[in-house]
Amino acid sequence: MKIDLTGTTAGDINKALVRGRRAIGTPAVGMVLTLVIVTDEENAYDSLKAANDASREHPSRTLVVIKRVSRSPRDRTSSRLDAEVRVGADAGTGETVVLRLYGEVSDHADSVVLPLLLPDAPVVVWWPVNAPLDPAKDPLGALAQRRVTDTYAAEQPVRELAARAEAYTPGDTDLSWTRITPWRSMLAAALDQVVCEVRAVEVEGEEFNPSCELLAMWLADRLDVRVKRSLSSGPGLTAVRLDTSCGPVVLDRADGSLATLSIEGQPARAVALKRRDTAELIAEELRRLDPDDTYASALRYGVERLNTVPEQQAAADEPPAGAEAAEEAATAPAKKAAARSAKKAPAGKAAAK
């Protein structure tokens, strides 16, 4: 069931939701959270479809916030709120409200969203594209316990990762991190099968894919070893190679679907490691609403520290222990020569000085 409202208010939208629930015979509200999607018109359909699919696992009220760009100066000074209320089969297993904000009301989207939040239920805000550099300080992000971005959609993903690390607040997460959950699980399980020391790691994947950098930073942070980031034609992550004292451990996925796990002394095994769609990713993120400390630690490791040995990085951060001694040794001959000259100088000259 769909109800279109033009030039409406938050109060009218709430009334339409109650009217819609009664019309389909489900007056009770059985939703567990409010999902706020902040997007543009171009990406609204795909984002809403993913949210509806995820709602089968997490029944929720989905609020889609679309800020429409006004064409003329006169339109930019006026304000209007249009809404499309969906309940029943048109809204997955929850409720959906598509909000289109025009004019000055676009700058106050939080005031529109606040009256529509489910009472006593957690709030998750998701930016499929054009996420703010500091989601926690965004007016909509400040309403949420969980803030989901997607660095893969950024124009410069690697630079975006650095900005995310600088502005990280507990509750922030990224779908680029969610994409590597199966990889992290598989690599952790592989290392549990061997008792060896990991000496170096190589992460291979397509260029401008932040999931590759995040996986490399996670491995470098957890294993405290040098991690090399190499490029491939994709799709996405293609291989992780671990050089251990017991031989190589390789997880190779060339086709984006089926991977091969090779461990020294064991037969190679085929493992399912398909690339997941957005609905699966957002459903995984909605399963946990507490801060992800592992993501925070990997993010703060820093892309610039990849391809370096930990000892080299530490040496670069502070002067070498023998730097002062080396400088002293280098200048010692000159100091001794100066001392000898001073001793040979006539007394009169010394007195004149």
Side-chain angles (χ1 to χ4, degrees):
M1 179 179 181
K2 295 182 181 180
I3 302 174
D4 291 324
L5 302 172
T6 303
T8 188
T9 64
D12 292 337
I13 295 172
N14 272 318
K15 292 177 183 177
L17 285 168
V18 174
R19 191 166 65 249
R21 286 198 299 267
R22 288 176 177 171
I24 63 174
T26 56
V29 178
M31 290 160 286
V32 298
L33 59 87
T34 303
L35 175 62
V36 181
I37 305 174
V38 187
T39 185
D40 52 20
E41 200 72 62
E42 180 182 357
N43 296 278
Y45 175 82
D46 291 336
S47 303
L48 185 54
K49 184 178 183 303
N52 285 344
D53 291 342
S55 72
R56 289 172 171 78
E57 183 177 341
H58 309 279
S60 59
R61 174 176 288 180
T62 303
L63 306 177
V64 184
V65 179
I66 303 174
K67 300 179 181 181
R68 298 297 299 268
V69 178
S70 301
R71 296 183 179 180
S72 66
R74 183 181 302 169
D75 291 338
R76 285 193 289 270
T77 58
S78 62
S79 298
R80 192 175 92 238
L81 171 63
D82 294 344
E84 181 182 325
V85 178
R86 305 179 185 180
V87 293
D90 294 314
T93 59
E95 299 172 343
T96 298
V97 181
V98 180
L99 303 167
R100 290 183 171 85
L101 286 63
Y102 298 83
E104 293 181 349
V105 74
S106 299
D107 299 327
H108 305 282
D110 54 318
S111 300
V112 177
V113 168
L114 187 59
L116 302 175
L117 301 178
L118 289 172
D120 302 322
V123 179
V124 178
V125 178
W126 171 31
W127 291 270
V129 293
N130 302 325
L133 291 179
D134 193 345
K137 291 186 178 179
D138 183 84
L140 286 172
L143 301 175
Q145 287 77 34
R146 191 77 161 166
R147 296 164 293 275
V148 184
T149 58
D150 192 355
T151 313
Y152 187 79
E155 186 175 349
Q156 296 180 317
V158 176
R159 183 177 297 181
E160 194 87 359
L161 283 177
R164 292 276 177 268
E166 186 176 348
Y168 175 81
T169 302
D172 293 352
T173 190
D174 197 299
L175 292 187
S176 295
W177 172 256
T178 316
R179 290 184 179 96
I180 62 174
T181 299
W183 284 83
R184 293 189 292 120
S185 302
M186 196 64 64
L187 290 169
L191 289 177
D192 283 343
Q193 301 178 39
V194 294
V195 182
C196 355
E197 177 187 357
V198 179
R199 297 178 294 205
V201 180
E202 179 183 3
V203 175
E204 180 186 272
E206 64 185 0
E207 193 175 5
F208 306 120
N209 190 324
S211 294
C212 302
E213 268 73 24
L214 282 169
L215 183 61
M217 290 189 289
W218 173 71
L219 288 166
D221 180 50
R222 289 294 167 177
L223 300 175
D224 194 28
V225 296
R226 175 181 179 270
V227 178
K228 178 183 177 182
R229 169 73 166 95
S230 57
L231 301 180
S232 70
S233 57
L237 271 162
T238 51
V240 175
R241 303 178 182 90
L242 294 87
D243 177 21
T244 75
S245 56
C246 303
V249 176
V250 180
L251 184 59
D252 191 348
R253 186 190 68 177
D255 60 356
S257 176
L258 192 64
T260 302
L261 176 62
S262 303
I263 301 176
E264 186 74 15
Q266 300 182 20
R269 285 166 284 178
V271 293
L273 206 60
K274 73 179 184 70
R275 305 189 74 192
R276 299 180 294 169
D277 58 23
T278 307
E280 294 177 86
L281 300 176
I282 199 66
E284 178 183 326
E285 283 302 330
L286 295 180
R287 290 186 198 121
R288 57 174 300 173
L289 300 177
D290 57 316
D292 191 341
D293 296 332
T294 306
Y295 165 70
S297 181
L299 187 65
R300 287 170 174 159
Y301 182 86
V303 180
E304 69 281 354
R305 294 176 62 186
L306 298 177
N307 299 323
T308 60
V309 180
E311 291 77 5
Q312 293 177 347
Q313 180 63 34
D317 292 340
E318 60 183 27
E324 294 181 0
E327 183 179 356
E328 183 70 22
T331 58
K335 289 182 178 180
K336 290 180 180 179
R340 287 195 298 269
S341 299
K343 288 181 179 179
K344 292 180 181 179
K349 290 185 179 180
K353 290 180 181 178

